[in-house]
Amino acid sequence: EPEVTQTPSHQVTQMGQEVILRCVPISNHLYFYWYRQILGQKVEFLVSFYNNEISEKSEIFDDQFSVERPDGSNFTLKIRSTKLEDSAMYFCASRGLHQNTGELFFGEGSRLTVL
Amino acid sequence: AQSVTQLDSQVPVFEEAPVELRCNYSSSVSVYLFWYVQYPNQGLQLLLKYLSGSTLVKGINGFEAEFNKSQTSFHLRKPSVHISDTAEYFCAVSDPRWFGNEKLTFGTGTRLTIIP
């Protein structure tokens, strides 16, 4: 069964460092998303991406964040200068063109720890 | 704006006992409702969803949920749980008007622990 894959599963970084989280969405999907979950808190929407541009972003997704689809398979989230409060589990999700029911397919998540 | 409340952060249940995980939502418009499950070391997986029609929806692994519009609830139930049901369960909503730009609003999750 096709699935969304994310790398790395866990990354530890120093505050101020740049981090890139990678995602490989399901191959025929066209809508891509990043969500995050700070420990003990809600899963929060960060950004949606379609047709090589951001569709919507939340207040969390400030200038320190960026997303990119550098090739036909990867979808990346970059945090330019990490802060302690960026420590969280980051989930990538995707959906297909004709799925207009809100159902998203999620990856296993990338745990980011900022020291 | 929409919000989701899962009042129970942790629910311990004995094996083969029934369980209900509560979810209430707030929205000024009609919504789509979802339950996602996260098994240990895995991603979020759709358990079931309500879009329209029958208010009782059935999902995978014997779970079901009932949409109650008057109480703005979407509680998840299973008549007899198994050890393998140990997981984190998330209730979520989305706005049907945002076709092509689904943004799920999640609750804080309920950790279901099955006691042998």
Side-chain angles (χ1 to χ4, degrees), chain A residues 49-110:
Chain A
F49 190 88
Y50 171 71
N51 199 26
N52 285 321
E53 60 183 22
I54 291 174
S55 307
E56 185 174 353
K57 57 184 180 180
S58 71
E59 293 176 352
I60 304 167
F61 195 88
D62 61 23
D63 292 344
Q64 292 298 313
F65 291 88
S66 63
V67 289
E68 190 179 29
R69 189 156 162 81
D71 53 41
S73 60
N74 289 285
F75 178 53
T76 62
L77 174 69
K78 181 193 291 187
I79 308 174
R80 264 181 270 282
S81 178
T82 50
K83 303 187 284 289
L84 294 176
E85 53 265 37
D86 293 327
S87 294
M89 180 73 88
Y90 288 81
F91 292 103
C92 175
S94 69
R95 76 166 181 86
L97 178 64
H98 299 296
Q99 289 174 280
N100 58 340
T101 60
E103 177 183 353
L104 302 182
F105 293 81
F106 286 85
E108 294 182 2
S110 293

Side-chain angles (χ1 to χ4, degrees), chain B residues 55-70:
Chain B
T55 57
L56 183 65
V57 292
K58 295 187 184 299
I60 61 173
N61 301 336
F63 282 93
E64 63 180 33
E66 184 156 20
F67 169 57
N68 188 319
K69 188 174 182 179
S70 62

